[in-house]
Structures are given as C-alpha cells and as structure tokens.
Amino acid sequence: MAAPKSNIVLITGANQGIGFEIAKKLAKEYPGYHVLMGSRNAERGQAAADKLLAEGLSVEPITIDVTVDSSITAAAETVKSKYGRLDVLVNNAGIEVETKYPQGSKTIREVLQETYDTNVFGAMQTLETFAPLLEKAEVPRVVFVSSHLGCFGKPDNFPGQWPVYRSSKTALNMLLLSYSHLYKEKGWKINATCPGYLATNLNNYSGYGSVDTGAINAVRLATLGKDGETGTFSEKEGPLPW
Ligand SMILES: NC(=O)c1ccc[n+]([C@@H]2O[C@H](COP(=O)([O-])OP(=O)(O)OC[C@H]3O[C@@H](n4cnc5c(N)ncnc54)[C@H](OP(=O)(O)O)[C@@H]3O)[C@@H](O)[C@H]2O)c1
C-alpha cells in the first residue's frame, strides 16, 4: 500500500443532508481531498456517492453505522488497509427522534438511549476507533457537527423544546473540549460546528436555510492547517458561546 498524497476524509452520515453537502463541497473545492462518504446503509451510500462520482469528484462510499461497534471497526479496517491513515474525521451522523414517535409509544429512557447512542456514544466510539489512524496524519483534524441548541449561552427561538436532542449536543460539545485538550500537544485540530437550522430529513425539512450552507464552516474546520484553531465551537458567522 503506497501512502496516499491526498487528505483522506471520513464523514459519517454522508448519504444525505449536511453530511452529503460537506462531502460535495470538500471534494469540489479541495482537489487534494479524497472523501469517504459514510452511510449506515450500503445502498444509500452507493447511491449518494454515485451522484458525486458522476460529477467527477474524488469520493467513495463506506458503510459505517455509528451505533454498531463492529461496523465502526470494519470501516476502520477498510481505511487502514486502503490508505493506512485518516487525515480528517467529520462526526456528522445525528438523529432527533423525540418528536418522531407517537405520544406514549416510547419511554423517555428509550428516547434518550436511542438519541445518545448515535449523537454522543457513536461520535465518541468512532473517534476512539479511528484515533490510531488519525495519529498517522500530518495534521489530524476532527469536526463535530453540533448545534447551537446545545449551548448554555445562546438564547434561541425554541425555549424548552427538544430537551433530549439539545442535551445530546451539549454532551457532544464537552467531548470535543475534552479531546481537544487530550490531543492539543500532538497538534490535532478538534472543533465543533453548528450548521444552522437547515431543511433536512432530521427536522422534516422545516429548517429555514439551504442545506449547502451547512457545509461552509465544517469544510473550513476540516481543512485547517498546522496553525489552525482547536477546541472551538463556531458557525459560519463566527464563534459560538458554549
Ligand atoms: N438540520 C439542522 O437544522 C441541523 C442543525 C444543527 C445540527 N444538525 C446536525 O447536523 C448533522 C446532520 O444532520 P442533518 O440535518 O443533515 O440530518 P439528516 O439529513 O437526517 O442526515 C443525518 C445523517 O446521519 C445518518 N445517520 C443516522 N443515524 C446513523 C447511524 N447510527 N450511523 C451512521 N449514520 C447515521 C443518516 O443516515 P440515514 O440516511 O440512513 O438515516 C443521515 O445520513 C446531525 O448531527 C445534526 O444533529 C442539523
């Protein structure tokens, strides 16, 4: 296996929504980047990759379900055998299910477990499993796709809504801060982005913004160099409070 010249990027949940847009923007605007488009479903992943391959972009699908450890490990084995390292991990896969189930059909514990399994445990396990491959990159970068709904310090338009989802993003932000301290001396760039409230499957397309704008700050963070920031939380307009 020859060491690849490209930056190898893995984006979880890249078969639709913001993850797909991050893959598209990165592959379009950064020819030196090769994007592994994560999808928990192989067919959906292939279909999404086909759209970008048809545009001549440097992408490939990879199956990864962040709630299944064996799936994460298998994806890491694939990346290891093909490329020997990972330069950028975008922890994008996320769900909001508390508004999706009919009233009373799930206990709050079940909703919490399902949400945290993807949004928090999945992101942390994926980082842990890929850490040895990130370690081999010149400038390892990790982007957490978080939400301003997880901030303590930003008043928002939805007070009291989605407590499960928003607390999962608060937890994710603490993970990001912890990991950024842990890997600071080694030069890793670990940051979180809020894409904005955008029309995607996650919110039944009720978001205001166009989904491609969600990729702007994520791509900036994914392409940071040696002097780039770490341990930050921002949106495309600038820094966000925790
Ligand atoms: N949309 C917004 O307004 C907004 C605002 C702030 C933050 N965010 C965050 O942005 C990220 C992307 O969300 P989105 O809005 O683009 O929603 P989306 O269109 O529903 O996309 C979510 C992606 O995550 C994948 N996914 C879900 N569970 C997974 C699992 N267990 N393993 C691997 N992949 C999984 C989905 O796969 P399937 O296609 O198989 O379901 C899909 O590809 C999430 O972290 C979300 O919290 C979104």
Side-chain angles (χ1 to χ4, degrees):
M1 176 193 50
K5 288 201 186 90
S6 308
N7 275 272
I8 306 300
V9 184
L10 169 65
I11 305 171
T12 61
N15 58 288
Q16 64 167 318
I18 294 159
F20 179 84
E21 295 298 329
I22 297 170
K24 186 170 162 182
K25 191 174 176 66
L26 257 180
K28 233 182 196 161
E29 296 178 8
Y30 292 83
Y33 282 62
H34 180 65
V35 182
L36 309 177
M37 298 174 68
S39 174
R40 59 178 158 174
N41 175 282
E43 282 172 20
R44 287 200 289 274
Q46 186 65 59
D50 283 347
K51 288 183 200 157
L52 300 187
L53 287 167
E55 294 185 37
L57 301 180
S58 180
V59 301
E60 67 180 270
I62 184 167
T63 304
I64 177 167
D65 184 330
V66 302
T67 63
V68 181
D69 289 353
S70 59
S71 172
I72 303 173
T73 304
E77 285 302 321
T78 301
V79 176
K80 186 179 177 187
S81 65
K82 279 186 160 176
Y83 304 108
R85 68 159 203 269
L86 183 68
D87 297 273
V88 187
L89 168 65
V90 182
N91 263 326
N92 166 75
I95 57 171
E96 186 288 294
V97 290
E98 65 199 295
T99 61
K100 305 278 183 351
Y101 292 118
Q103 190 80 24
S105 65
K106 295 269 181 185
T107 66
I108 194 65
R109 187 184 298 280
E110 287 168 335
V111 172
L112 275 159
Q113 281 172 337
E114 184 177 345
T115 305
Y116 274 63
D117 202 11
T118 301
N119 295 7
V120 185
F121 311 155
M124 187 165 180
Q125 185 62 58
T126 304
L127 203 171
E128 288 282 340
T129 303
F130 278 90
L133 291 173
L134 284 159
E135 198 86 63
K136 295 194 164 72
E138 210 178 316
V139 184
R141 281 142 285 164
V142 183
V143 181
F144 287 79
V145 181
S146 185
S147 170
H148 72 87
L149 291 177
C151 296
F152 290 109
K154 187 176 161 91
D156 61 61
N157 299 323
F158 312 103
Q161 283 193 52
W162 310 305
V164 175
Y165 175 78
R166 72 170 62 216
S167 69
S168 75
K169 293 300 185 181
T170 313
L172 189 69
N173 285 357
M174 183 50 81
L175 284 185
L176 136 81
L177 265 186
S178 304
Y179 277 110
S180 69
H181 286 298
L182 199 60
Y183 287 108
K184 194 172 185 166
E185 295 309 315
K186 290 184 167 178
W188 291 37
K189 309 299 173 192
I190 307 183
N191 296 288
T193 179
C194 173
Y197 184 41
L198 309 175
T200 67
N201 171 64
L202 179 125
N203 50 36
N204 292 324
Y205 300 91
S206 65
Y208 314 132
S210 162
V211 66
D212 56 316
T213 61
I216 295 171
N217 196 43
V219 167
R220 180 183 72 81
L221 295 171
T223 54
L224 290 174
K226 272 194 168 59
D227 298 332
E229 68 214 53
T230 193
T232 70
F233 181 29
S234 60
E235 57 189 351
K236 68 179 188 316
E237 291 80 9
L240 278 165
W242 296 104

